[in-house]
Amino acid sequence: QASSRIRLKLSNIYAGIKNKTTSVNISLGNIRSIKVILTGEVIKPGTYSLPSVATVFNALYACGGPNENGSFRSIQIIRAGNVVSTLDVYDFLLQGSMKKNIRLQDQDVIRVPPYQTRVTLNGEVKHPAIFELMKGETLNDLIRFSGGFNEKAYKARIKVLKVTETERMIEDVLSNQFANYTPISGDEIFV
């Protein structure tokens, strides 16, 4: 917005800017630093000095990101003791959305909580991996996170290896149940 306003004001003085024979480049020369605290389940927790234009992703990169127990789905940005935003990295990974990647302010705290539900998806999907699920997400969401079925997939039935309080069991989930089936933490799902 600042660049647009500066160009507009200068174009009233210099006609070459309006007819594009003259160009205007605007850059910041001296950027102040801010201190941001990263806590919780991150690889290198601590206080980091970052440029004042830094975002949540810049801070996560600086600390190495969430550790093996850290959530990628509910990263909290705390400002003056209040949670001002919650970042879901899957929004960026799946849709390229940077909507919640807000600019940080001095003394912001970024807290990465432990994951709540994590399941393993193996077999004939485009990206087999361990995925974190939020409350209410179903087997359909999990398949979407993996990029969908590949061309070798048998889509009519999926096997789920569960560990319950009393036993290990194998469950078959039919395709018409994918939208309503909610995996639980520790499930291993095979396509």
Side-chain angles (χ1 to χ4, degrees), residues 33-79:
S33 291
I34 59 173
K35 295 235 185 265
V36 177
I37 301 162
L38 285 114
T39 185
E41 301 293 332
V42 292
I43 292 178
K44 293 185 284 183
T47 302
Y48 289 82
S49 290
L50 299 172
S52 62
V53 294
T55 64
V56 181
F57 280 139
N58 299 129
L60 288 171
Y61 180 78
C63 77
N67 64 24
E68 64 186 36
N69 293 319
S71 174
F72 281 77
R73 306 293 309 274
S74 56
I75 298 168
Q76 298 173 331
I77 299 86
I78 302 166
R79 185 171 292 149

Side-chain angles (χ1 to χ4, degrees), residues 113-158:
Y115 70 86
Q116 295 299 310
T117 302
R118 201 184 272 174
V119 298
T120 304
L121 180 60
N122 287 311
E124 302 301 332
V125 291
K126 292 180 183 161
H127 299 286
I130 298 171
F131 293 96
E132 185 178 352
L133 295 178
M134 300 293 281
K135 186 175 183 175
E137 290 180 332
T138 65
L139 192 52
N140 269 348
D141 295 309
L142 183 63
I143 293 165
R144 183 173 51 88
F145 296 161
S146 74
F149 297 112
N150 68 25
E151 59 283 348
K152 295 178 184 177
Y154 177 65
K155 301 172 191 166
R157 179 184 313 249
I158 290 179

Side-chain angles (χ1 to χ4, degrees), residues 3-180:
S3 297
S4 299
R5 290 182 70 182
I6 293 168
R7 279 192 185 88
L8 180 65
K9 295 286 185 185
L10 287 174
S11 67
N12 293 333
I13 299 168
Y14 301 102
I17 296 172
K18 281 184 184 174
N19 61 27
K20 303 209 182 208
T21 58
T22 303
S23 65
V24 176
N25 291 319
I26 300 157
S27 62
L28 291 172
N30 196 5
I31 301 174
R32 67 181 177 86
S33 291
I34 59 173
K35 295 235 185 265
V36 177
I37 301 162
L38 285 114
T39 185
E41 301 293 332
V42 292
I43 292 178
K44 293 185 284 183
T47 302
Y48 289 82
S49 290
L50 299 172
S52 62
V53 294
T55 64
V56 181
F57 280 139
N58 299 129
L60 288 171
Y61 180 78
C63 77
N67 64 24
E68 64 186 36
N69 293 319
S71 174
F72 281 77
R73 306 293 309 274
S74 56
I75 298 168
Q76 298 173 331
I77 299 86
I78 302 166
R79 185 171 292 149
N82 298 313
V83 177
V84 293
S85 185
T86 302
L87 176 70
D88 183 349
V89 177
Y90 281 26
D91 288 342
F92 172 69
L93 296 174
L94 297 171
Q95 297 150 11
S97 172
M98 301 275 277
K99 189 169 69 173
K100 298 277 188 148
N101 185 26
I102 63 171
R103 204 173 101 213
L104 297 170
Q105 294 180 11
D106 193 42
Q107 298 303 313
D108 278 356
V109 175
I110 298 172
R111 181 182 169 274
V112 178
Y115 70 86
Q116 295 299 310
T117 302
R118 201 184 272 174
V119 298
T120 304
L121 180 60
N122 287 311
E124 302 301 332
V125 291
K126 292 180 183 161
H127 299 286
I130 298 171
F131 293 96
E132 185 178 352
L133 295 178
M134 300 293 281
K135 186 175 183 175
E137 290 180 332
T138 65
L139 192 52
N140 269 348
D141 295 309
L142 183 63
I143 293 165
R144 183 173 51 88
F145 296 161
S146 74
F149 297 112
N150 68 25
E151 59 283 348
K152 295 178 184 177
Y154 177 65
K155 301 172 191 166
R157 179 184 313 249
I158 290 179
K159 294 219 175 284
V160 179
L161 177 62
K162 304 181 100 40
V163 178
T164 68
E165 290 182 17
T166 58
E167 64 188 350
R168 269 178 84 100
M169 60 185 269
I170 297 176
E171 189 173 33
D172 285 334
V173 182
L174 303 175
S175 60
N176 63 352
Q177 299 170 317
F178 291 175
N180 298 319

